[in-house]
Amino acid sequence: MVKLTMIARVTDGLPLAEGLDDGRDLTDAEMYKQQVKALFKNLSKGHNEASRMSVETGPYVFQYPCPGRVCYLTMCDRSYPKKLAFQYLEDLKNEFERVNGAQIETAARPYAFIKFDTFIQKTKKLYQDTRTQRNISKLNDELYEVHQIMTRNVQEVLGVGEKLDQVSQMSSRLTSESRMYADKARDLNRQALIRKWAPVAIVLGVVFLLFWVKAKLW
């Protein structure tokens, strides 16, 4: 069964919509929602590994296509067919883009399209029971085959994101330190040149002054 559905903008991880009734009968629903938000944050930083992802978490699995500008994610029981999960997300994507596509980039607050919950709930009901004739037909239809799904554990996915963040921070720190050392090296070189040529400049200045005074006296 479909347990959670959340939609977010990829560029910054901003939540755009979710199923409002989702998770009411779910133990630790808030923990799973926090994991989803962490996954969205990873995606906003470009940490996506395959065209479609299945991320296992406890008795459930997050299913989501690695997106364009919007990520459509659902959490299902592990036994729920991946084929139906991704078709459910495809139906959400088509309707969301049709209705809200022009405003996705300009949305400035979380859950700006919360009214889309009505369509989420209506569509979710169609996919809840895998034994209906409609869903059996989809499972048997090669048109709805899904390929290139990478299955990972949620700790692995979020851990990779954290490690990449650490590498990025270390790289930024090293770049900053390199610039600082380069500036110090230039200052030291400048001081060395001054120490080297200052006596010569002083001697030349004195000689020039003597010639100028001599010329004035004559």
Side-chain angles (χ1 to χ4, degrees):
M1 293 180 65
V2 174
K3 298 294 185 180
L4 291 175
T5 303
M6 297 182 73
I7 301 172
R9 188 166 59 197
V10 170
T11 51
D12 54 6
L14 181 74
L16 300 176
E18 70 173 56
L20 295 180
D21 290 337
D22 291 354
R24 290 188 177 179
D25 59 344
L26 188 66
T27 305
D28 296 328
E30 193 56 38
M31 179 195 74
Y32 292 119
K33 288 185 178 182
Q34 290 303 317
Q35 288 181 345
V36 173
K37 290 176 182 178
L39 290 172
F40 286 155
K41 182 179 177 183
N42 271 7
L43 287 174
S44 72
K45 296 177 180 178
H47 303 164
N48 38 313
E49 304 174 64
S51 59
R52 293 181 177 89
M53 292 291 295
S54 290
V55 180
E56 297 171 345
T57 175
Y60 307 109
V61 57
F62 297 124
Q63 310 278 18
Y64 58 95
C66 285
R69 57 180 184 162
V70 176
C71 180
Y72 303 85
L73 180 149
T74 186
M75 187 180 80
C76 314
D77 295 312
R78 289 201 186 196
S79 59
Y80 191 81
K82 292 179 180 180
K83 194 187 236 186
L84 287 183
F86 282 102
Q87 186 56 43
Y88 165 65
L89 294 174
E90 185 68 19
D91 287 355
L92 296 185
K93 174 185 175 182
N94 292 339
E95 181 67 8
F96 191 82
E97 292 282 346
R98 185 186 71 80
V99 176
N100 304 308
Q103 291 126 13
I104 290 171
E105 303 298 337
T106 56
R109 57 185 175 83
Y111 304 105
F113 309 108
I114 200 63
K115 291 182 180 179
F116 191 70
D117 166 68
T118 302
F119 184 82
I120 291 175
Q121 299 303 330
K122 181 176 70 174
T123 307
K124 187 171 74 170
K125 287 178 182 177
L126 297 176
Y127 282 89
Q128 286 293 59
D129 188 351
T130 60
R131 298 166 297 177
T132 63
Q133 186 58 47
R134 174 185 179 277
N135 290 332
I136 290 173
S137 297
K138 285 182 178 292
L139 287 170
N140 293 330
D141 193 337
E142 292 183 1
L143 180 65
Y144 298 111
E145 284 294 339
V146 288
H147 303 283
Q148 298 179 328
I149 301 175
M150 178 177 283
T151 301
R152 300 285 298 275
N153 181 274
V154 69
Q155 282 81 15
E156 291 176 334
V157 175
L158 297 181
V160 167
E162 290 173 0
K163 288 176 182 176
L164 289 174
D165 286 344
Q166 291 172 2
V167 169
S168 177
Q169 291 171 5
M170 185 179 296
S171 176
S172 298
R173 187 167 62 251
L174 289 173
T175 300
S176 176
E177 290 177 353
S178 296
R179 288 174 182 167
M180 181 178 67
Y181 291 140
D183 290 341
K184 286 185 177 179
R186 280 195 293 271
D187 289 340
L188 290 173
N189 286 334
R190 193 180 300 113
Q191 292 173 15
L193 287 173
I194 291 172
R195 285 195 298 269
K196 179 178 179 180
W197 295 107
V200 176
I202 292 171
V203 170
L204 290 175
V206 170
V207 170
F208 176 78
L209 181 62
L210 290 175
F211 275 112
W212 182 79
V213 171
K214 186 176 180 181
K216 284 291 184 181
L217 292 177
W218 287 357

